[in-house]
Amino acid sequence: MDGKDLTICKLGGSVITFKDKPLTPNIKAITGLAKALFKFDGKLVIIHGGGSFGHYMASRFGLGQSPAKTSPEAVAMTRYSMLELHLTVLRIFLDAGLTVYSVPLSGMMNQRLPSRQKMEALVNYTDTGLIPMTFGDVIVSRTGSYIVSGDQIARLLSKHLRPRRVLFVLDVDGIYQDPEKTTLLRELKIAKTTNLIFSKGKIDVTGGIERKVKEASRIANMGIDVSFVNGLVPQRLLDAAQGKNPIGTVLKGRKVAPLSNSR
Ligand code: IP8
């Protein structure tokens, strides 16, 4: 699969919700993102995070990223909270004129991993003018239940869809050199991603910004450019989607030889 004109956009939960107010979407921010993306003329796959919906419920009920026996209530409530957020995002995007089409991760699963065919089918949706939208999710497997982060989904989709670029939309300007966020890194080298020191988020069960950078460097290692932008300034998202270089952090994809068909 070659998604030369495809952009994958991960909307962080910290932008689309108020992370310290349980179950509270940031309607203004979601509307800003929708309006910006409406102006983007290209194929999009959108993923959103959990913020004060999924992370709040997952931490309240003790759900984590490794399969574990948990109460059915934990799974049901976490899923429900994600669907509530998902519906809010879908509604606002539809109202802004974006033809978003919901594809929950569970609909792409094949045992414990998303199936390659089902992920690749997302590109067929984009061919019909739809914008597939998925979200970090709670998965039930034979070995237990677990959370799959939207950042992880961004990496898995990148592997199979080979987008032109991946955008991580944050509530800050990009990746900083220091936990105090005094020095914004305009360009980040893959090799340097392991030296960064991050501040710890409160209710993030999937590893927050550190996890995001880790997934981003794996995407960049596939030869795909990754940008981190502040979604509270929506024009930056549009600029990044259009390949411009707004305030933010760029992680350049490693130069790789053209892909053969063996994958
Ligand atoms: O915010 C987490 O997705 P993320 C989803 O992308 C849940 O890490 C259910 C907590």
Side-chain angles (χ1 to χ4, degrees):
M1 181 89 17
D2 187 354
K4 271 200 281 295
D5 54 356
L6 180 73
T7 299
I8 293 180
C9 180
K10 160 75 199 298
L11 306 177
S14 57
V15 192
I16 60 169
T17 73
F18 291 103
K19 261 202 128 168
D20 43 11
K21 290 192 198 143
L23 309 175
T24 312
N26 186 339
I27 303 289
K28 187 169 167 224
I30 303 170
T31 307
L33 296 170
K35 286 184 175 161
L37 288 176
F38 180 71
K39 295 185 196 142
F40 175 60
D41 182 21
K43 291 183 179 174
L44 269 178
V45 171
I46 300 175
I47 307 156
H48 68 76
S52 69
F53 285 77
H55 288 280
Y56 166 72
M57 284 296 176
S59 60
R60 184 168 145 191
F61 286 107
L63 269 175
Q65 292 186 89
S66 312
K69 293 270 170 274
T70 39
S71 71
E73 190 191 12
V75 177
M77 289 306 291
T78 305
R79 183 87 204 316
Y80 176 74
S81 73
M82 283 310 295
L83 289 175
E84 257 194 310
L85 176 61
H86 188 53
L87 280 179
T88 302
V89 179
L90 283 171
R91 180 75 257 168
I92 294 173
F93 272 59
L94 283 167
D95 286 347
L98 289 140
T99 43
V100 278
Y101 178 72
S102 169
V103 189
L105 179 65
S106 52
M108 289 185 249
M109 293 300 274
N110 180 10
Q111 311 270 340
R112 274 214 57 201
L113 284 173
S115 104
R116 177 176 149 186
Q117 281 79 11
K118 287 185 180 167
M119 285 193 283
E120 291 184 355
L122 298 186
V123 171
N124 302 336
Y125 300 146
T126 67
D127 288 339
T128 69
L130 289 169
I131 303 169
M133 184 186 278
T134 191
F135 51 91
D137 211 342
V138 53
I139 297 298
V140 180
S141 75
R142 267 187 292 116
T143 50
S145 304
Y146 57 98
I147 302 288
V148 178
S149 152
D151 300 337
Q152 197 180 341
I153 301 175
R155 190 242 310 156
L156 292 167
L157 290 180
S158 298
K159 182 171 169 212
H160 294 291
L161 309 186
R162 299 275 159 184
R164 172 176 289 165
R165 62 178 61 85
V166 177
L167 311 172
F168 283 97
V169 184
L170 317 172
D171 65 337
V172 291
D173 284 346
I175 305 302
Y176 291 84
Q177 193 168 334
D178 49 323
E180 293 76 30
K181 300 194 175 67
T182 47
T183 312
L184 177 70
L185 297 166
R186 294 302 307 274
E187 192 172 338
L188 181 58
K189 298 259 182 285
I190 298 175
K192 294 271 189 287
T193 53
T194 47
N195 301 340
L196 298 169
I197 302 164
F198 301 96
S199 53
K200 292 269 173 265
K202 272 177 283 178
I203 59 158
D204 206 310
V205 295
T206 53
I209 193 81
E210 186 167 0
R211 168 63 179 271
K212 212 175 284 299
V213 169
K214 202 180 271 176
E215 296 294 5
S217 73
R218 294 173 78 178
I219 295 170
N221 259 320
M222 300 172 201
I224 299 164
D225 290 348
V226 180
S227 295
F228 298 87
V229 283
N230 190 340
L232 301 173
V233 190
Q235 182 64 36
R236 292 187 193 163
L237 169 59
L238 178 61
D239 287 349
Q242 291 172 332
K244 298 179 189 157
N245 188 18
I247 293 172
T249 303
V250 172
L251 178 56
K252 279 260 166 234
R254 189 169 58 93
K255 297 263 175 298
V256 285
L259 274 179
S260 71
N261 273 342
S262 59
R263 207 175 43 220

